Amino acid sequence: MRLAKQVFDFYLNSSLHVALAVFSLSWLTLIEYEIPFDAAVLFFIFFASITGYNFVKFFGLAKFHHRSLSSWLKFIQLMSFICFLIMGYFASKLQLKTILYLGVFATITFLYAIPFIPKKFYLDTQQNLRNVSGLKVYVIALVWAGVTVLIPLINNNQLLDTTVIWAFAQRFFLVLALMLPFEIRDMQFDSIKLATIPQRIGIKNTKIMGLVLSLLFFGLEFFMPEKPLSKLLIQLGITLLLIFSIIFSRKNQGRYFSGFWVESIPIIWLVLTLLFG
């Protein structure tokens, strides 16, 4: 039992779970636009997510403590390096225009972790986008929406028309809503200077905001091309699951509530679509 828990914790801490969520949303985009499974772009996104998330999470920690890193963190670093190499392989399979667009989101991710902002704008001792007041969740939602909607379509020569704009907005609202349980959970740990959403408007209003975002996520579906009833029902179910996750989120939530269950919502959406959509 202890070994199973250690393996499960490693699965979460090494960003494999969040990468699977990003992979799922990207595959859902291909399904939505009736594009065949694109292994190159999907596996690039999966391994890039592991690399990017671990870079953001552990850059500051690893920067000054290479010799004193715990064994599990060293193993995550090694795994991340291997994922980076695999990511490079799949990047070689992508179209040049796809790589150019990816450069935009890669730059945002890099600046999210690396100090670069003049001192008068940053918070505490960090000079990166992550610590700019009130900006964090919007940066994450922007990158997730861009990577999971635009990149699969660009690599498959899909015209970026009005429906893609609605799909991008829909995904942005979804990710923003998914972030709120994390924001509530971390409220007691985040510096007050970060001005996170719960810090600024309180937990109750944050949940109301989450309900509005969830309804926008579902409501935008009626601006998209008509779907089979089965897919619409699946999306309604995902919306309800998202709403319940927001309603039941709290500061002292279970260890795996956000990090596993909330982050599993995109994976559940993909599984239901593959089975019944």
PDB file of all heavy atoms in Angstrom, residues 3-30:
ATOM      1  N   LEU A   3       3.919   1.555  -1.108  1.00  0.00           N
ATOM      2  CA  LEU A   3       4.563   1.688  -2.414  1.00  0.00           C
ATOM      3  C   LEU A   3       3.594   2.258  -3.440  1.00  0.00           C
ATOM      4  O   LEU A   3       3.955   3.134  -4.247  1.00  0.00           O
ATOM      5  CB  LEU A   3       5.080   0.325  -2.877  1.00  0.00           C
ATOM      6  CG  LEU A   3       5.727   0.297  -4.271  1.00  0.00           C
ATOM      7  CD1 LEU A   3       6.938   1.219  -4.305  1.00  0.00           C
ATOM      8  CD2 LEU A   3       6.099  -1.124  -4.649  1.00  0.00           C
ATOM      9  N   ALA A   4       2.343   1.782  -3.408  1.00  0.00           N
ATOM     10  CA  ALA A   4       1.336   2.281  -4.344  1.00  0.00           C
ATOM     11  C   ALA A   4       1.100   3.776  -4.141  1.00  0.00           C
ATOM     12  O   ALA A   4       0.958   4.533  -5.110  1.00  0.00           O
ATOM     13  CB  ALA A   4       0.030   1.509  -4.159  1.00  0.00           C
ATOM     14  N   LYS A   5       1.055   4.211  -2.890  1.00  0.00           N
ATOM     15  CA  LYS A   5       0.873   5.629  -2.599  1.00  0.00           C
ATOM     16  C   LYS A   5       2.061   6.440  -3.093  1.00  0.00           C
ATOM     17  O   LYS A   5       1.896   7.544  -3.636  1.00  0.00           O
ATOM     18  CB  LYS A   5       0.681   5.848  -1.104  1.00  0.00           C
ATOM     19  CG  LYS A   5       0.393   7.295  -0.714  1.00  0.00           C
ATOM     20  CD  LYS A   5       0.194   7.432   0.771  1.00  0.00           C
ATOM     21  CE  LYS A   5      -0.147   8.871   1.143  1.00  0.00           C
ATOM     22  NZ  LYS A   5       0.897   9.830   0.713  1.00  0.00           N
ATOM     23  N   GLN A   6       3.270   5.914  -2.922  1.00  0.00           N
ATOM     24  CA  GLN A   6       4.467   6.617  -3.389  1.00  0.00           C
ATOM     25  C   GLN A   6       4.465   6.751  -4.908  1.00  0.00           C
ATOM     26  O   GLN A   6       4.817   7.811  -5.443  1.00  0.00           O
ATOM     27  CB  GLN A   6       5.723   5.880  -2.917  1.00  0.00           C
ATOM     28  CG  GLN A   6       5.987   6.002  -1.424  1.00  0.00           C
ATOM     29  CD  GLN A   6       7.192   5.195  -0.980  1.00  0.00           C
ATOM     30  OE1 GLN A   6       7.569   4.211  -1.620  1.00  0.00           O
ATOM     31  NE2 GLN A   6       7.805   5.603   0.111  1.00  0.00           N
ATOM     32  N   VAL A   7       4.055   5.692  -5.585  1.00  0.00           N
ATOM     33  CA  VAL A   7       3.981   5.731  -7.048  1.00  0.00           C
ATOM     34  C   VAL A   7       2.928   6.737  -7.496  1.00  0.00           C
ATOM     35  O   VAL A   7       3.142   7.518  -8.436  1.00  0.00           O
ATOM     36  CB  VAL A   7       3.664   4.329  -7.610  1.00  0.00           C
ATOM     37  CG1 VAL A   7       3.369   4.402  -9.109  1.00  0.00           C
ATOM     38  CG2 VAL A   7       4.818   3.377  -7.345  1.00  0.00           C
ATOM     39  N   PHE A   8       1.783   6.731  -6.808  1.00  0.00           N
ATOM     40  CA  PHE A   8       0.708   7.662  -7.161  1.00  0.00           C
ATOM     41  C   PHE A   8       1.142   9.110  -6.915  1.00  0.00           C
ATOM     42  O   PHE A   8       0.889   9.989  -7.753  1.00  0.00           O
ATOM     43  CB  PHE A   8      -0.539   7.344  -6.332  1.00  0.00           C
ATOM     44  CG  PHE A   8      -1.730   8.195  -6.677  1.00  0.00           C
ATOM     45  CD1 PHE A   8      -2.375   8.045  -7.889  1.00  0.00           C
ATOM     46  CD2 PHE A   8      -2.210   9.147  -5.779  1.00  0.00           C
ATOM     47  CE1 PHE A   8      -3.482   8.827  -8.219  1.00  0.00           C
ATOM     48  CE2 PHE A   8      -3.302   9.930  -6.098  1.00  0.00           C
ATOM     49  CZ  PHE A   8      -3.939   9.768  -7.312  1.00  0.00           C
ATOM     50  N   ASP A   9       1.798   9.366  -5.796  1.00  0.00           N
ATOM     51  CA  ASP A   9       2.288  10.718  -5.507  1.00  0.00           C
ATOM     52  C   ASP A   9       3.323  11.161  -6.542  1.00  0.00           C
ATOM     53  O   ASP A   9       3.344  12.328  -6.949  1.00  0.00           O
ATOM     54  CB  ASP A   9       2.901  10.773  -4.102  1.00  0.00           C
ATOM     55  CG  ASP A   9       1.845  10.736  -3.007  1.00  0.00           C
ATOM     56  OD1 ASP A   9       0.670  11.023  -3.304  1.00  0.00           O
ATOM     57  OD2 ASP A   9       2.195  10.422  -1.851  1.00  0.00           O
ATOM     58  N   PHE A  10       4.169  10.227  -6.958  1.00  0.00           N
ATOM     59  CA  PHE A  10       5.145  10.556  -7.998  1.00  0.00           C
ATOM     60  C   PHE A  10       4.440  10.900  -9.303  1.00  0.00           C
ATOM     61  O   PHE A  10       4.820  11.843 -10.010  1.00  0.00           O
ATOM     62  CB  PHE A  10       6.113   9.390  -8.217  1.00  0.00           C
ATOM     63  CG  PHE A  10       7.100   9.640  -9.320  1.00  0.00           C
ATOM     64  CD1 PHE A  10       8.243  10.396  -9.085  1.00  0.00           C
ATOM     65  CD2 PHE A  10       6.879   9.140 -10.593  1.00  0.00           C
ATOM     66  CE1 PHE A  10       9.147  10.651 -10.115  1.00  0.00           C
ATOM     67  CE2 PHE A  10       7.774   9.381 -11.623  1.00  0.00           C
ATOM     68  CZ  PHE A  10       8.918  10.138 -11.376  1.00  0.00           C
ATOM     69  N   TYR A  11       3.397  10.144  -9.623  1.00  0.00           N
ATOM     70  CA  TYR A  11       2.601  10.404 -10.826  1.00  0.00           C
ATOM     71  C   TYR A  11       2.061  11.829 -10.828  1.00  0.00           C
ATOM     72  O   TYR A  11       2.075  12.522 -11.860  1.00  0.00           O
ATOM     73  CB  TYR A  11       1.465   9.382 -10.881  1.00  0.00           C
ATOM     74  CG  TYR A  11       0.368   9.676 -11.872  1.00  0.00           C
ATOM     75  CD1 TYR A  11       0.570   9.547 -13.239  1.00  0.00           C
ATOM     76  CD2 TYR A  11      -0.896  10.085 -11.432  1.00  0.00           C
ATOM     77  CE1 TYR A  11      -0.443   9.802 -14.151  1.00  0.00           C
ATOM     78  CE2 TYR A  11      -1.920  10.335 -12.325  1.00  0.00           C
ATOM     79  CZ  TYR A  11      -1.693  10.196 -13.682  1.00  0.00           C
ATOM     80  OH  TYR A  11      -2.708  10.463 -14.576  1.00  0.00           O
ATOM     81  N   LEU A  12       1.603  12.300  -9.668  1.00  0.00           N
ATOM     82  CA  LEU A  12       1.077  13.659  -9.561  1.00  0.00           C
ATOM     83  C   LEU A  12       2.206  14.686  -9.538  1.00  0.00           C
ATOM     84  O   LEU A  12       2.156  15.689 -10.262  1.00  0.00           O
ATOM     85  CB  LEU A  12       0.210  13.802  -8.310  1.00  0.00           C
ATOM     86  CG  LEU A  12      -1.066  12.961  -8.247  1.00  0.00           C
ATOM     87  CD1 LEU A  12      -1.794  13.223  -6.934  1.00  0.00           C
ATOM     88  CD2 LEU A  12      -1.981  13.255  -9.422  1.00  0.00           C
ATOM     89  N   ASN A  13       3.220  14.458  -8.710  1.00  0.00           N
ATOM     90  CA  ASN A  13       4.298  15.432  -8.531  1.00  0.00           C
ATOM     91  C   ASN A  13       5.154  15.614  -9.779  1.00  0.00           C
ATOM     92  O   ASN A  13       5.736  16.691  -9.986  1.00  0.00           O
ATOM     93  CB  ASN A  13       5.195  15.023  -7.358  1.00  0.00           C
ATOM     94  CG  ASN A  13       4.488  15.119  -6.019  1.00  0.00           C
ATOM     95  OD1 ASN A  13       3.595  15.948  -5.840  1.00  0.00           O
ATOM     96  ND2 ASN A  13       4.858  14.271  -5.077  1.00  0.00           N
ATOM     97  N   SER A  14       5.231  14.586 -10.603  1.00  0.00           N
ATOM     98  CA  SER A  14       6.053  14.666 -11.809  1.00  0.00           C
ATOM     99  C   SER A  14       5.305  15.270 -12.995  1.00  0.00           C
ATOM    100  O   SER A  14       5.829  15.306 -14.107  1.00  0.00           O
ATOM    101  CB  SER A  14       6.565  13.272 -12.185  1.00  0.00           C
ATOM    102  OG  SER A  14       5.473  12.405 -12.469  1.00  0.00           O
ATOM    103  N   SER A  15       4.086  15.723 -12.774  1.00  0.00           N
ATOM    104  CA  SER A  15       3.259  16.400 -13.790  1.00  0.00           C
ATOM    105  C   SER A  15       2.726  15.461 -14.867  1.00  0.00           C
ATOM    106  O   SER A  15       2.230  15.929 -15.895  1.00  0.00           O
ATOM    107  CB  SER A  15       4.033  17.551 -14.455  1.00  0.00           C
ATOM    108  OG  SER A  15       4.461  18.491 -13.508  1.00  0.00           O
ATOM    109  N   LEU A  16       2.796  14.154 -14.639  1.00  0.00           N
ATOM    110  CA  LEU A  16       2.228  13.219 -15.611  1.00  0.00           C
ATOM    111  C   LEU A  16       0.715  13.380 -15.717  1.00  0.00           C
ATOM    112  O   LEU A  16       0.143  13.302 -16.814  1.00  0.00           O
ATOM    113  CB  LEU A  16       2.579  11.783 -15.207  1.00  0.00           C
ATOM    114  CG  LEU A  16       4.027  11.350 -15.451  1.00  0.00           C
ATOM    115  CD1 LEU A  16       4.315  10.032 -14.737  1.00  0.00           C
ATOM    116  CD2 LEU A  16       4.312  11.215 -16.942  1.00  0.00           C
ATOM    117  N   HIS A  17       0.066  13.629 -14.576  1.00  0.00           N
ATOM    118  CA  HIS A  17      -1.395  13.744 -14.575  1.00  0.00           C
ATOM    119  C   HIS A  17      -1.850  15.009 -15.305  1.00  0.00           C
ATOM    120  O   HIS A  17      -2.765  14.952 -16.134  1.00  0.00           O
ATOM    121  CB  HIS A  17      -1.907  13.744 -13.136  1.00  0.00           C
ATOM    122  CG  HIS A  17      -3.394  13.621 -13.033  1.00  0.00           C
ATOM    123  ND1 HIS A  17      -4.099  12.552 -13.541  1.00  0.00           N
ATOM    124  CD2 HIS A  17      -4.334  14.447 -12.474  1.00  0.00           C
ATOM    125  CE1 HIS A  17      -5.393  12.711 -13.310  1.00  0.00           C
ATOM    126  NE2 HIS A  17      -5.556  13.849 -12.673  1.00  0.00           N
ATOM    127  N   VAL A  18      -1.213  16.117 -15.014  1.00  0.00           N
ATOM    128  CA  VAL A  18      -1.607  17.363 -15.682  1.00  0.00           C
ATOM    129  C   VAL A  18      -1.291  17.283 -17.174  1.00  0.00           C
ATOM    130  O   VAL A  18      -2.044  17.806 -18.012  1.00  0.00           O
ATOM    131  CB  VAL A  18      -0.926  18.585 -15.021  1.00  0.00           C
ATOM    132  CG1 VAL A  18       0.576  18.579 -15.231  1.00  0.00           C
ATOM    133  CG2 VAL A  18      -1.507  19.886 -15.560  1.00  0.00           C
ATOM    134  N   ALA A  19      -0.196  16.609 -17.542  1.00  0.00           N
ATOM    135  CA  ALA A  19       0.134  16.449 -18.958  1.00  0.00           C
ATOM    136  C   ALA A  19      -0.920  15.606 -19.662  1.00  0.00           C
ATOM    137  O   ALA A  19      -1.276  15.877 -20.822  1.00  0.00           O
ATOM    138  CB  ALA A  19       1.515  15.809 -19.099  1.00  0.00           C
ATOM    139  N   LEU A  20      -1.444  14.601 -18.967  1.00  0.00           N
ATOM    140  CA  LEU A  20      -2.504  13.781 -19.537  1.00  0.00           C
ATOM    141  C   LEU A  20      -3.775  14.597 -19.738  1.00  0.00           C
ATOM    142  O   LEU A  20      -4.511  14.401 -20.713  1.00  0.00           O
ATOM    143  CB  LEU A  20      -2.772  12.580 -18.622  1.00  0.00           C
ATOM    144  CG  LEU A  20      -3.673  11.472 -19.175  1.00  0.00           C
ATOM    145  CD1 LEU A  20      -3.121  10.925 -20.481  1.00  0.00           C
ATOM    146  CD2 LEU A  20      -3.812  10.354 -18.150  1.00  0.00           C
ATOM    147  N   ALA A  21      -4.034  15.549 -18.832  1.00  0.00           N
ATOM    148  CA  ALA A  21      -5.198  16.431 -18.979  1.00  0.00           C
ATOM    149  C   ALA A  21      -5.038  17.331 -20.205  1.00  0.00           C
ATOM    150  O   ALA A  21      -5.986  17.527 -20.984  1.00  0.00           O
ATOM    151  CB  ALA A  21      -5.375  17.274 -17.717  1.00  0.00           C
ATOM    152  N   VAL A  22      -3.843  17.881 -20.398  1.00  0.00           N
ATOM    153  CA  VAL A  22      -3.584  18.733 -21.566  1.00  0.00           C
ATOM    154  C   VAL A  22      -3.685  17.904 -22.848  1.00  0.00           C
ATOM    155  O   VAL A  22      -4.263  18.350 -23.854  1.00  0.00           O
ATOM    156  CB  VAL A  22      -2.196  19.391 -21.451  1.00  0.00           C
ATOM    157  CG1 VAL A  22      -1.914  20.266 -22.677  1.00  0.00           C
ATOM    158  CG2 VAL A  22      -2.102  20.240 -20.189  1.00  0.00           C
ATOM    159  N   PHE A  23      -3.122  16.713 -22.824  1.00  0.00           N
ATOM    160  CA  PHE A  23      -3.214  15.783 -23.957  1.00  0.00           C
ATOM    161  C   PHE A  23      -4.680  15.510 -24.302  1.00  0.00           C
ATOM    162  O   PHE A  23      -5.067  15.506 -25.476  1.00  0.00           O
ATOM    163  CB  PHE A  23      -2.485  14.493 -23.567  1.00  0.00           C
ATOM    164  CG  PHE A  23      -2.579  13.382 -24.587  1.00  0.00           C
ATOM    165  CD1 PHE A  23      -1.619  13.231 -25.564  1.00  0.00           C
ATOM    166  CD2 PHE A  23      -3.622  12.466 -24.531  1.00  0.00           C
ATOM    167  CE1 PHE A  23      -1.695  12.191 -26.494  1.00  0.00           C
ATOM    168  CE2 PHE A  23      -3.716  11.427 -25.450  1.00  0.00           C
ATOM    169  CZ  PHE A  23      -2.747  11.290 -26.430  1.00  0.00           C
ATOM    170  N   SER A  24      -5.502  15.286 -23.276  1.00  0.00           N
ATOM    171  CA  SER A  24      -6.918  14.976 -23.491  1.00  0.00           C
ATOM    172  C   SER A  24      -7.650  16.124 -24.165  1.00  0.00           C
ATOM    173  O   SER A  24      -8.427  15.916 -25.111  1.00  0.00           O
ATOM    174  CB  SER A  24      -7.583  14.647 -22.148  1.00  0.00           C
ATOM    175  OG  SER A  24      -6.997  13.515 -21.551  1.00  0.00           O
ATOM    176  N   LEU A  25      -7.407  17.339 -23.699  1.00  0.00           N
ATOM    177  CA  LEU A  25      -8.059  18.505 -24.308  1.00  0.00           C
ATOM    178  C   LEU A  25      -7.619  18.686 -25.760  1.00  0.00           C
ATOM    179  O   LEU A  25      -8.419  19.088 -26.616  1.00  0.00           O
ATOM    180  CB  LEU A  25      -7.743  19.763 -23.493  1.00  0.00           C
ATOM    181  CG  LEU A  25      -8.403  19.860 -22.115  1.00  0.00           C
ATOM    182  CD1 LEU A  25      -7.934  21.110 -21.383  1.00  0.00           C
ATOM    183  CD2 LEU A  25      -9.925  19.857 -22.225  1.00  0.00           C
ATOM    184  N   SER A  26      -6.362  18.402 -26.036  1.00  0.00           N
ATOM    185  CA  SER A  26      -5.852  18.538 -27.406  1.00  0.00           C
ATOM    186  C   SER A  26      -6.506  17.506 -28.328  1.00  0.00           C
ATOM    187  O   SER A  26      -6.884  17.822 -29.467  1.00  0.00           O
ATOM    188  CB  SER A  26      -4.330  18.353 -27.419  1.00  0.00           C
ATOM    189  OG  SER A  26      -3.704  19.274 -26.555  1.00  0.00           O
ATOM    190  N   TRP A  27      -6.646  16.277 -27.833  1.00  0.00           N
ATOM    191  CA  TRP A  27      -7.293  15.231 -28.632  1.00  0.00           C
ATOM    192  C   TRP A  27      -8.766  15.564 -28.853  1.00  0.00           C
ATOM    193  O   TRP A  27      -9.319  15.344 -29.933  1.00  0.00           O
ATOM    194  CB  TRP A  27      -7.134  13.892 -27.925  1.00  0.00           C
ATOM    195  CG  TRP A  27      -7.481  12.701 -28.768  1.00  0.00           C
ATOM    196  CD1 TRP A  27      -8.018  12.703 -30.032  1.00  0.00           C
ATOM    197  CD2 TRP A  27      -7.325  11.323 -28.421  1.00  0.00           C
ATOM    198  NE1 TRP A  27      -8.206  11.422 -30.484  1.00  0.00           N
ATOM    199  CE2 TRP A  27      -7.789  10.553 -29.523  1.00  0.00           C
ATOM    200  CE3 TRP A  27      -6.840  10.673 -27.296  1.00  0.00           C
ATOM    201  CZ2 TRP A  27      -7.776   9.162 -29.507  1.00  0.00           C
ATOM    202  CZ3 TRP A  27      -6.827   9.277 -27.275  1.00  0.00           C
ATOM    203  CH2 TRP A  27      -7.291   8.541 -28.371  1.00  0.00           C
ATOM    204  N   LEU A  28      -9.404  16.136 -27.840  1.00  0.00           N
ATOM    205  CA  LEU A  28     -10.804  16.547 -27.987  1.00  0.00           C
ATOM    206  C   LEU A  28     -10.968  17.572 -29.105  1.00  0.00           C
ATOM    207  O   LEU A  28     -11.986  17.577 -29.810  1.00  0.00           O
ATOM    208  CB  LEU A  28     -11.327  17.110 -26.665  1.00  0.00           C
ATOM    209  CG  LEU A  28     -11.694  16.074 -25.602  1.00  0.00           C
ATOM    210  CD1 LEU A  28     -11.804  16.720 -24.220  1.00  0.00           C
ATOM    211  CD2 LEU A  28     -13.001  15.369 -25.960  1.00  0.00           C
ATOM    212  N   THR A  29      -9.985  18.437 -29.273  1.00  0.00           N
ATOM    213  CA  THR A  29     -10.031  19.412 -30.369  1.00  0.00           C
ATOM    214  C   THR A  29     -10.024  18.704 -31.718  1.00  0.00           C
ATOM    215  O   THR A  29     -10.797  19.051 -32.622  1.00  0.00           O
ATOM    216  CB  THR A  29      -8.837  20.381 -30.280  1.00  0.00           C
ATOM    217  OG1 THR A  29      -8.923  21.125 -29.060  1.00  0.00           O
ATOM    218  CG2 THR A  29      -8.844  21.359 -31.454  1.00  0.00           C
ATOM    219  N   LEU A  30      -9.155  17.704 -31.869  1.00  0.00           N
ATOM    220  CA  LEU A  30      -9.121  16.948 -33.122  1.00  0.00           C
ATOM    221  C   LEU A  30     -10.447  16.242 -33.372  1.00  0.00           C
ATOM    222  O   LEU A  30     -10.950  16.225 -34.500  1.00  0.00           O
ATOM    223  CB  LEU A  30      -7.983  15.921 -33.080  1.00  0.00           C
ATOM    224  CG  LEU A  30      -6.552  16.475 -33.014  1.00  0.00           C
ATOM    225  CD1 LEU A  30      -5.552  15.330 -32.978  1.00  0.00           C
ATOM    226  CD2 LEU A  30      -6.260  17.397 -34.191  1.00  0.00           C
TER     227      LEU A  30
END
